[in-house]
Amino acid sequence: MSVTTAAAGDRQGMNTFRRLFARLEIDERLLGMVASLIVIWVGFHILSDGKFITPRNLYNLSTQTASVAAMTIGMVFVIVIRQIDLSVGSLLGVTAMIMGVIQARWLPQLVGLSHPSIWIVAVISGILIGAFLGAINGLIIGYLGVPSFVVTLGGLLIWRGCAWWVTTGQTVAPLDDTFVLLGGGAYGTLGDTGSWIVAGLAVVAIAFAAIHRRRRKVRFGFPVRPVWAEVIVVGGQCALVIAFAATMIAYEMPSGAVKHLAELKGWTIPEGGLSIAEGIAYPVLIVIVLAVGGTLVLNRTRFGRYVFAMGGNPEAANLAGIDIRRMTLWVFVLMGALCGIAASIASARLQSAGNSIGTLDELKVIAGAVIGGCSLSGGVGTIAGAILGAIVIQSLQSGMSLLGFDASLQNIVTGLVLVVAVFVDQLYQRRRRL
C-alpha cells in the first residue's frame, strides 16, 4: 500500500512539473539539454580542480564552438528536410585553403600587403566558394536523385583531397592581420563597452519580441502564457544574456597582448599594470547574428515553411506545389555558404590554413544538431537547440582536453554521445506517436 502511495505521489509530482512546463511553454527536451550542460560543466569543474568554469576557459570555449555552431545552423535546414551532409568538414577545409591562398599569395601581389580590401575579398570569396560547392551537392541530390548520404560521403573524400591539392599539403600562413580578428584572439573582441551595448540591445530585442508575440496571439485569439510565466521566461533569457556578457568581460587580456597593444598605441603602462577586458569575441557575435537570421528564416518566411513541409511529408509538399528539387538545391547552397563563414572563423582563429583544418567537424556538426533536437526522420528542429547541442559537444571535448585525455578518447566519447542522442530521439518520436 505504501509503495502504491509513493508511486502515485511520484506521478503527481511529474504531472505537476509537466503542467508547469506547459504553462511556461518550455520545451522539455531543451530544458533537458540545459540540465545536461550544467552537469557537464560542474563535473569538469570539479575534476579539473576549479579550472573549467572560469572566464578564461568559457571565453575559449565560446570561440572554439563558433565555427561548428555556424555549420550547425545550416545542418538544421538539411536534417529538417530529411537529408544529411557528411561533407561539411571537408568543405570547410578546401574553402579555408583557398581563402588562405587568396589573402596570403594572390591579393598581396595585386594590392599590396595589409591592404584593407584583402580580408573582405577573402571572406566573400569563401562564402561564394562554399555556396558553389554546396550547390554541386544540391544539384546531384535534388535533380539527379542520388541519396544525400552517398553524395556527401563522396564529397567528404573529394573536398578533403582538393584541400590538399590547393597547396600540395603546405600550410598557408601568415594570414591577413584584419582577417585574423574574425577568429577572436586577444584583439578580436568587442571589449567591455561594446559587449555591454550588445547585451543591452539583446535584452531590448528579447523584451520587444515577447511583447510583440503576445499581442499577436491575443489579436488572433490564441492562448497566451500567464503574465507571471511570461515574466519568468523573458527574465530568465535576459539574465542569461547579461551573465554571458559579464563572464566574457571578466576575462582580461593577457599581459603580453596588453604590452604589445600599448606599444602600438603609444600608451604608458602604469606600475600596477594595465587591465583590459576582452568581452564578446567577434566569432561569437557572428554566430549570434547567423542564429537570429536563421531562426527568422526558418520560422517567419515562406522558405522556412516549405522546409518544414518537406520534412514533415515530402509527398504532400510536392502535391501542394512545392518544388522539392529546387528547395533541396537552395538548402545545400545555404549549408555551403555557412561552411564558408565557418572556414573564415576557423582559419582566422588558427591564424593559418592547413590541410587538416575541419577534420571530423562533420561529426561535431551532426551530433550537435541531433543532440539539439533535430530528428533524423525530418520535420523537427530548432536553431537554438542545435547551437546548444554544439556547445555540449565542444564542452565535452574542451573538458577532456583540460583533463589531459587524448584526441582518440575524445572522438570515442563524441561518437557515443551521437548514438545516445539518436536513440533518445527515437524514444521521443515513439512517445509522440502514442
Side-chain angles (χ1 to χ4, degrees):
M1 186 66 179
S2 60
V3 175
T4 304
T5 303
D10 292 340
R11 285 195 298 269
Q12 184 176 1
M14 290 297 294
N15 291 333
T16 301
F17 278 113
R18 288 177 179 174
R19 285 196 297 269
L20 178 60
F21 294 152
R23 298 294 294 275
L24 296 174
E25 296 181 11
I26 296 177
D27 186 353
E28 293 181 15
R29 299 182 69 184
L30 186 62
L31 192 64
M33 282 187 292
V34 172
S36 300
L37 184 62
I38 293 174
V39 170
I40 291 171
W41 282 14
V42 172
F44 280 130
H45 189 69
I46 295 173
L47 294 175
S48 62
D49 296 327
K51 298 178 182 177
F52 191 87
I53 307 179
T54 62
R56 175 182 179 181
N57 190 64
L58 294 181
Y59 174 87
N60 292 332
L61 178 63
S62 69
T63 57
Q64 292 166 0
T65 308
S67 62
V68 173
M71 291 189 290
T72 305
I73 294 171
M75 191 61 70
V76 172
F77 288 83
V78 172
I79 294 179
V80 167
I81 65 170
R82 300 190 179 188
Q83 304 291 350
I84 198 71
D85 194 341
L86 302 174
S87 66
V88 292
S90 298
L91 204 155
L92 180 152
V94 67
T95 305
M97 292 295 285
I98 295 174
M99 282 193 298
V101 170
I102 288 174
Q103 62 184 294
R105 300 183 183 180
W106 295 352
L107 287 180
Q109 297 180 1
L110 298 176
V111 299
L113 289 172
S114 301
H115 192 275
S117 66
I118 290 179
W119 77 273
I120 298 175
V121 174
V123 172
I124 294 175
S125 299
I127 295 173
L128 293 178
I129 292 168
F132 174 74
L133 298 181
I136 294 176
N137 288 340
L139 284 170
I140 297 174
I141 295 166
Y143 286 88
L144 300 184
V146 182
S148 59
F149 181 88
V150 176
V151 174
T152 58
L153 180 61
L156 183 151
L157 302 174
I158 294 170
W159 305 133
R160 183 58 63 186
C162 290
W164 188 89
W165 279 107
V166 171
T167 61
T168 60
Q170 300 176 21
T171 298
V172 181
L175 303 182
D176 180 72
D177 292 338
T178 306
F179 178 85
V180 167
L181 299 180
L182 298 177
Y187 308 122
T189 66
L190 296 175
D192 52 355
T193 303
S195 298
W196 283 127
I197 291 174
V198 169
L201 293 174
V203 168
V204 172
I206 290 171
F208 176 79
I211 295 172
H212 178 69
R213 182 172 56 248
R214 187 179 183 87
R215 286 178 175 176
R216 286 193 52 167
K217 287 184 176 181
V218 171
R219 184 191 313 163
F220 293 104
F222 291 106
V224 295
R225 294 188 187 112
V227 175
W228 63 266
E230 199 77 58
V231 171
I232 290 176
V233 173
V234 175
Q237 293 172 346
C238 294
L240 285 175
V241 171
I242 295 173
F244 173 72
T247 302
M248 297 299 100
I249 292 171
Y251 175 49
E252 297 181 355
M253 185 180 294
S255 58
V258 171
K259 183 178 180 181
H260 178 67
L261 182 62
E263 292 175 354
L264 292 176
K265 300 290 185 178
W267 297 342
T268 300
I269 300 179
E271 294 183 1
L274 184 62
S275 176
I276 300 177
E278 287 284 10
I280 299 173
Y282 290 156
V284 177
L285 184 63
I286 293 172
V287 171
I288 292 173
V289 173
L290 292 175
V292 172
T295 300
L296 292 176
V297 169
L298 199 59
N299 299 324
R300 293 288 185 267
T301 66
R302 180 184 299 177
F303 182 84
R305 291 193 293 271
Y306 285 178
V307 166
F308 280 115
M310 288 174 59
N313 192 325
E315 292 78 12
N318 189 40
L319 292 174
I322 299 176
D323 192 334
I324 302 295
R325 295 181 297 180
R326 186 174 64 181
M327 284 294 299
T328 301
L329 168 63
W330 282 111
V331 166
F332 277 92
V333 168
L334 175 63
M335 181 75 257
L338 289 171
C339 285
I341 296 175
S344 301
I345 295 173
S347 57
R349 186 174 68 85
L350 298 174
Q351 300 185 18
S352 64
N355 182 53
S356 63
I357 187 172
T359 301
L360 293 181
D361 272 6
E362 55 276 348
L363 173 62
K364 300 178 185 177
V365 172
I366 295 173
V370 174
I371 292 172
C374 289
S375 174
L376 294 177
S377 58
V380 178
T382 63
I383 302 295
I387 291 179
L388 186 58
I391 296 174
V392 169
I393 291 296
Q394 192 60 53
S395 296
L396 288 171
Q397 295 203 325
S398 176
M400 287 186 288
S401 297
L402 196 62
L403 296 177
F405 296 152
D406 56 26
S408 60
L409 183 57
Q410 295 176 29
N411 293 334
I412 291 173
V413 172
T414 305
L416 289 174
V417 170
L418 176 58
V419 173
V420 171
V422 173
F423 175 69
V424 172
D425 175 68
Q426 290 180 342
L427 293 179
Y428 181 76
Q429 296 301 326
R430 292 173 191 167
R431 178 184 170 188
R432 290 184 61 188
R433 288 192 292 266
L434 293 178

